[in-house]
Amino acid sequence: MSGFRHAAGLAAGLAIAASVVLPAGSQTLTMGVGAPVTSIDPHYHQLSPNTAVAEMIFSALTQTDAHARVTPDLAESWRPVSDTVWEFKLRQGVTFHNGSPFTAEDVAFTFERVPKVPNSPSSYAIYTRPITRVEIVDSHTLHLHTAVPYPLMPVDLASVKILDRETHATATTEAFNAGPMAIGTGPFRMVSHRNGDRIEFERNDGYFGARPAWSRVNYRMITNDAARTAALLAGDVDVIDQVPTSDLAKLRNDQRLTLAETTGLRIIFLSFDHIREESSPFVLDNEGKPVPRNPLKDVRVRRALSMAIDRNAITERVMEGAAIPAGQFLPEGSFGYVPGLNPPRADAEAAKRLLAEAGFPQGFRITLHGPNDRYPNDARIIQAIGQMWTRAGVRTAVEAQPWTTFVGRAARQELSAFLIGWGTSSGEASNPLRNLTATFDREKGYGASNRGRYSNPEADRILEQAMRELDDPKREALLQQATRMVMEDVGILPLHIQKNAWALRRGFTMDARSDELTRAQDVRPAAAR
Amino acid sequence: MTAFLLRRLIQAAAVVLVMSLLVFLGVFAVGDPIEILISPEADQFERERAIKALGLDLPLWRQYLVFLGNALRGDLGRSFVFNEPALRLILDRMPATLELAVGATVAALIIGLPLGLYAGLKPNSPLSKGIMATSILGFSLPTFWVGLMLIMVFAVQLGWLPSTGRGETVTILGMRWSFLTRDGIAHLIMPALNLALFKISLVIRLTRAGVRETMLMDYVKFARAKGLSPARVTFVHVFKNILIPVVTVVGLEFGGTIAFSVVTESVFAWPGMGKLIIDSINVLDRPVMVAYLMMIVLLFITINLVVDITYSLLDPRVRLEGKS
């Protein structure tokens, strides 16, 4: 009897295996993505959905893996040959989709084109600008000269997709979108592109890297969350990204589906008004009159506000488990992560004591702003924080606005305290340190997204030292030091780091990427069980 | 007729000019596109370059004059996001929306008119009461909810129809149409029905009210007294007279459907103009927003004109004279 049952189980297992493992080479993958792709030109508009599609068609000298570590792509190896010269050894025998060979000339051409793409609303030139001269040593060796030591070169170049001098000399953005110029060295060729609707790909059999499992890919843009989930449930698409946190539990229990999840690189944090010494626009005393000095400039007040927040309650209940509490920019395992730098334990009483010590025994009133259509559950998070702060004696009003309106106000320093997010696509700590918390400085290009205008000269100094340090362990130690200083000063108030989730039909599996990109080469048929 | 048309054209030009100013100011007030479009990693130098490249460094009045000058030459600007002419982006998406709007309007007339007629002729029958009660649902249920319910029932549970997106297309006159393929029709049914629901109810109610009113008129009584068949009385004498309000409302509704089918298009991921405009608003793609709204202004002016001309064909008493 037991032998029979065993045999039956085995037969059923084989049947499942047979239905899952279809002959390789004849399969189509249909993907439903939540954010529209705006351009096929890889140098026109820096935006995650565009990057995802660009990484299917094109390649760069380097790439980042699912955990944001830099790995070889078109370059096989690289090293600094002096303080201001990086050497890149290129892969031999690579051809573009149209057969044109890939050489060092194409890299030089790409670096020339990047800053010159007309009308670009967000150029990739920030990655090529540190390069002062491109020296072609031989057809497959490059020397990149910089004015000052530049340790981020390999990371930065993962963002710059290489085009072909012969093919793309006069290519316009429109010609990429229309199709004829969408020629790269990547794992897929673009077959057709219907703006805002779908993109179709076929496998590039001449690809130098791992062969993708799909001969054809149908990449559909379904921006409505509920419709995207429905399309997956109806079997019209095989995988969806940006699974709404409210659907996670239901999809997890659905026998027809599996989830692919990973901790992301996007931190959600609060930013404070650091620019005003005197009264801040949305801080009032308990009688409703402006407070003569800006309490947010006092580190004790900022620490109290951080202590008053129960991050676990937010990640467990508001985010339904789709986030981890954060005490610094990046999750564990990232370059520059500081071991042991954890968020403070939630303690409303200790927060009250700290406020009293700072000269606000009766607390004060504040309006906390945030977007309501940008990050998962953004408006609900600031409501929860409002209640927690009020419990600690800071009576908080909450105002959530559409991103389009909110972000302009935040950038003009009109707000006192607001929630915002930051995705560190490069996965290393110099990126948030330079952009979010370094002193706003136009000449150096630092602090461009430092909307609260926090400034810590000592942390700036260490950061600048790190930015010239080519030795990785030394640089990491400096970045850790700067991160610790900013966090102990509560320059920003980190809340949580989001998890990224994809839902797939059973029979499919995927390498969940921490940088949120949804690419067909990361999806495979599940191995037979 | 000529004088009437001429006066209408002058009015239209004035309306377009005023609207262009209002739209421009409104779009300007929403927010700063650079903050939305630019990569957060961009430094100050890169931001300044982008502001200049998109012409946002000029004062508002100069931006408006530049826009106006280009518009007179038929150029409504280039999309910030796609780097393609805004007008072409909109026209590319137009067939998809037209299909949806025409499908919904035809469905509304085919379903709404007979039901409304029946409910008007036999107001006391249980079926009429049922029709009228159901039409309340058509008015009051929110479109996005009905859309999601349609998807859940017909795509997820029953699997009869595809859940979202536009089907296979064929190219005619350089535009892609999906209503000529089987797959295209299958994709069209649910969104068109979803859009039609409100309109069906509207047509039922208008028709019923018109029929009930007209049935009491002297000329109908006279026609019946003359011994004309009920069918002739209904379809020649009554029907033609109730069509005037129906044509007006359906015409304006048609314009509304083309311009504002945003909800249905996003629920069904239908790549039409409504989807384009909502995506453009989300990233503050000003040229597309302005071009779109200008087009809609023109569309409504045209529809009103067509409605006026249709009146004169339906009712010989209406004259399109120049004198008022």
Side-chain angles (χ1 to χ4, degrees), chain B residues 38-58:
Chain B
I38 204 154
S39 157
E41 288 173 28
D43 57 15
Q44 290 89 337
F45 176 84
E46 169 52 28
R47 274 164 211 259
E48 282 160 26
R49 187 209 55 78
I51 289 171
K52 228 182 160 68
L54 301 183
L56 298 168
D57 53 336
L58 302 174

Side-chain angles (χ1 to χ4, degrees), chain B residues 18 28 100-101 104 106 134 142 148 160-161 173 188 197 226 247 249 252 255 266 277 322:
Chain B
V18 172
F28 193 84
L100 207 54
V106 168
T134 318
L148 287 174
W160 291 352
L161 293 168
L173 301 171
L188 185 61
L197 215 56
K226 237 169 69 174
V247 165
V249 171
L252 287 178
S266 23
I277 188 67

Side-chain angles (χ1 to χ4, degrees), chain A residues 36-39 44-47 115 117-123 125-127 129 173-174 177 193-198 220-224 226-227 230-231 233-234 236 256 373 403-405 407-408 411-412 422-426 431 435 440-442 445-449 451, chain B residues 29-32 34-50 53-54 78-85 88-89 92-93 148 151-152 155-156 159 161-169 176 187 263 266-271 275-276 279 281-284:
Chain A
V37 175
T38 68
S39 187
Y44 177 67
H45 186 192
Q46 242 199 92
L47 195 72
V117 179
N119 304 330
S120 164
S122 181
S123 164
I126 51 172
Y127 302 117
R129 211 186 303 135
T173 300
E174 280 163 289
N177 292 343
H193 171 221
R194 277 195 264 160
N195 198 339
D197 178 21
R198 67 183 63 188
R220 292 183 48 195
M221 298 156 222
I222 309 176
T223 46
N224 183 289
L233 291 173
D236 290 344
R256 296 167 296 169
D373 55 358
W403 174 252
T404 44
T405 311
V407 69
R412 288 191 299 270
W422 180 265
T424 306
S425 55
S426 68
N431 170 306
N435 291 295
F440 183 87
D441 187 327
R442 193 180 162 280
Y446 279 14
S449 291
R451 300 185 175 91
Chain B
V30 177
D32 180 359
I34 286 297
E35 284 296 328
I36 312 286
L37 290 171
I38 204 154
S39 157
E41 288 173 28
D43 57 15
Q44 290 89 337
F45 176 84
E46 169 52 28
R47 274 164 211 259
E48 282 160 26
R49 187 209 55 78
L54 301 183
R78 287 178 89 82
S79 158
F80 293 163
V81 177
F82 302 105
N83 197 20
E84 293 192 24
R88 198 174 78 205
L89 280 173
D92 270 356
R93 301 286 193 99
L148 287 174
I151 294 178
M152 286 318 283
V156 177
L161 293 168
S163 63
T164 48
R166 194 164 180 230
E168 234 174 87
T169 55
R176 280 195 289 245
H187 280 84
V263 174
S266 23
V267 168
F268 288 93
W270 187 263
K275 187 87 180 356
L276 175 71
D279 288 347
I281 291 173
N282 282 336
V283 293
L284 291 181

Side-chain angles (χ1 to χ4, degrees), chain B residues 3 5 26 47 56-57 81 88 92 103 106 116 118 136 182 199 213 233 245 286 296 306 316 318:
Chain B
L5 282 177
R47 274 164 211 259
L56 298 168
D57 53 336
V81 177
R88 198 174 78 205
D92 270 356
V106 168
Y118 180 84
I136 293 175
R182 224 186 129 80
K199 279 181 249 297
E213 200 183 316
V233 173
R286 283 188 194 162
I296 297 307
V306 171
V318 179

Side-chain angles (χ1 to χ4, degrees), chain B residues 18 35 76 82 129 149 173 180 203 221 306-307:
Chain B
V18 172
E35 284 296 328
L76 288 176
F82 302 105
K129 290 189 171 143
M149 286 303 121
L173 301 171
L180 296 169
V203 171
K221 286 185 192 152
V306 171
V307 167

